[in-house]
Amino acid sequence: MKKKTVITKEPGTENSEKKTLGSESELTCEYESRKQLTIDERMLILKEDAERLAIEYNSAVSTDKSLTEVKEIETKLDQTVSDYTNEATKKCFDEIKSTENPMLEAAKRLTYQVIRYKDEKKKDSPTVRIIEYTDKEIDPLKLQQAIGSIGFDKNWQYMIEKFNFLLTARVATEISDAGAENKTNVEKMLKEINDSYAMSKIARDIVIGKSVASNTNCLATLNKIVTAMLGGEYKALTHDIKYLLLVYSKKGRKALSVNCSNHKYLRSYIMQILHRIVTKGFYNVEYKSLKNS
């Protein structure tokens, strides 16, 4: 049986050592021993594993190892990063669950830290793969699936789906002019959206407003969702709607088309709006600037 080398670590120490495992039972024993550690200890070991695998990957690439060997290391690295993300997610969700108002806590936090790898190129040096921390946004639906019902109205996720449907119809209307030929095309688009838009039956049956054609109606609908998620003391403002409408759609793959957000992205945008509301934060603009400015 092929032997496998892993990194082992004693709890509470910074030292690690290589251990060669020669059977599936030994591999299982190693896995079980890690389960006995605290989640912080497991995350630390996984980060060290990822850093070791990144070094192995760089060495394999620089010494022209076979594509199979490089791919094997990369697969292990992918799995290690994924395992770290799972542990970090569990830790974050458990902490949120322990609070009095999990949805409010999630909105305050917005993100949690995970690791990723990236290829870094420095001047006059070869490209190397490194491990770094990055922020992962909290998806309120995944949080609810993990810890149980959150928010003030159990239908908040379906309200977001229905809101998405209404926003898509708004985009279809706004990209059209008032000409007779275009009016026919708009009516066709709206019928297709109404008949085939992907949302749950609960979402389709929920009434949160007939139209969001105006910003006033759009804000009123958004505030119904804010209330469902956080309660009546929190309100979105006009600039929250402006932010939402700016990030909601982008150029489509086909010419003369616009791509609207899916439900996951809209949940993300609404969570960012909730974060701004509860932290009293501000929106920012990102742009390409001069290197020396």
Side-chain angles (χ1 to χ4, degrees), residues 248-271:
Y248 177 74
S249 60
K250 64 180 181 180
K251 180 186 176 300
R253 292 182 180 178
K254 297 180 180 179
L256 306 181
S257 67
V258 174
N259 185 50
C260 296
S261 297
N262 60 29
H263 299 319
K264 179 180 178 181
Y265 277 101
L266 184 56
R267 286 197 305 272
S268 169
Y269 301 149
I270 289 177
M271 279 297 289

Side-chain angles (χ1 to χ4, degrees), residues 67-80:
L67 182 60
T68 300
E69 290 177 284
V70 172
K71 188 63 180 176
E72 182 179 347
I73 297 171
E74 191 168 51
T75 299
K76 291 177 182 178
L77 181 54
D78 285 334
Q79 184 60 55
T80 302

Side-chain angles (χ1 to χ4, degrees), residues 101 104 108 152 222-237 274 277-280:
N101 186 338
L104 179 61
K108 287 179 179 177
F152 283 76
L222 175 60
N223 269 321
K224 290 178 182 178
I225 296 171
V226 172
T227 297
M229 297 178 79
L230 292 180
E233 63 182 289
Y234 297 97
K235 296 294 181 185
L237 302 174
L274 297 186
I277 293 171
V278 300
T279 63
K280 296 180 172 58

Side-chain angles (χ1 to χ4, degrees), residues 2-19:
K2 186 178 179 180
K3 295 186 177 183
K4 181 178 179 180
T5 300
V6 300
I7 298 296
T8 62
K9 181 175 169 95
E10 293 299 324
T13 70
E14 294 300 321
N15 298 318
S16 60
E17 60 179 357
K18 287 188 178 181
K19 180 180 179 182

